[in-house]
Amino acid sequence: MMGLGPIGTILETKLRGAFSPVLLNVIDESHHHEGHGGSHPEGESHFRVKIAAEVFRGMTRVQQHRQVNAVLADELKSRVHALAIETMLP
């Protein structure tokens, strides 16, 4: 398994800074979407995020996902075509 590229690293850095998660996995799934709409020849267009953070306590799942989307808004407007989010409490 390869490490994250520059876009994945930005996602990881932003999520760590915003949520101080106890668990964070940013997975580039772009290779599963080659040739599909929104894919980029150089990859880093489709990601899965698994994140566990105390800050999510008391929020609904929808609120948790909205928080993640808000932190990554710039990347979602530009380079990232798809983001699958799995949030959980520690």
Side-chain angles (χ1 to χ4, degrees):
M1 185 167 146
M2 295 178 55
L4 290 172
I7 304 300
T9 300
I10 289 169
L11 301 182
E12 184 177 58
T13 300
K14 284 186 161 190
L15 292 169
R16 284 195 190 285
F19 300 112
S20 300
V22 297
L23 169 78
L24 177 61
N25 292 320
V26 176
I27 304 153
D28 184 352
E29 296 183 336
S30 301
H31 62 283
H32 295 299
H33 303 276
E34 290 176 4
H36 298 174
S39 69
H40 296 280
E42 58 277 3
E44 293 201 283
S45 58
H46 294 70
F47 288 90
R48 177 172 302 277
V49 169
K50 296 180 182 180
I51 183 170
E54 186 60 39
V55 71
F56 295 141
R57 190 167 304 280
M59 292 183 193
T60 67
R61 183 73 40 112
V62 170
Q63 290 170 325
Q64 294 170 8
H65 286 214
R66 285 182 179 156
Q67 291 293 313
V68 171
N69 282 318
V71 168
L72 303 179
D74 289 340
E75 291 70 28
L76 292 168
K77 287 178 194 170
S78 57
R79 177 57 189 264
V80 176
H81 175 72
L83 180 66
I85 303 169
E86 297 176 41
T87 56
M88 59 203 87
L89 294 173

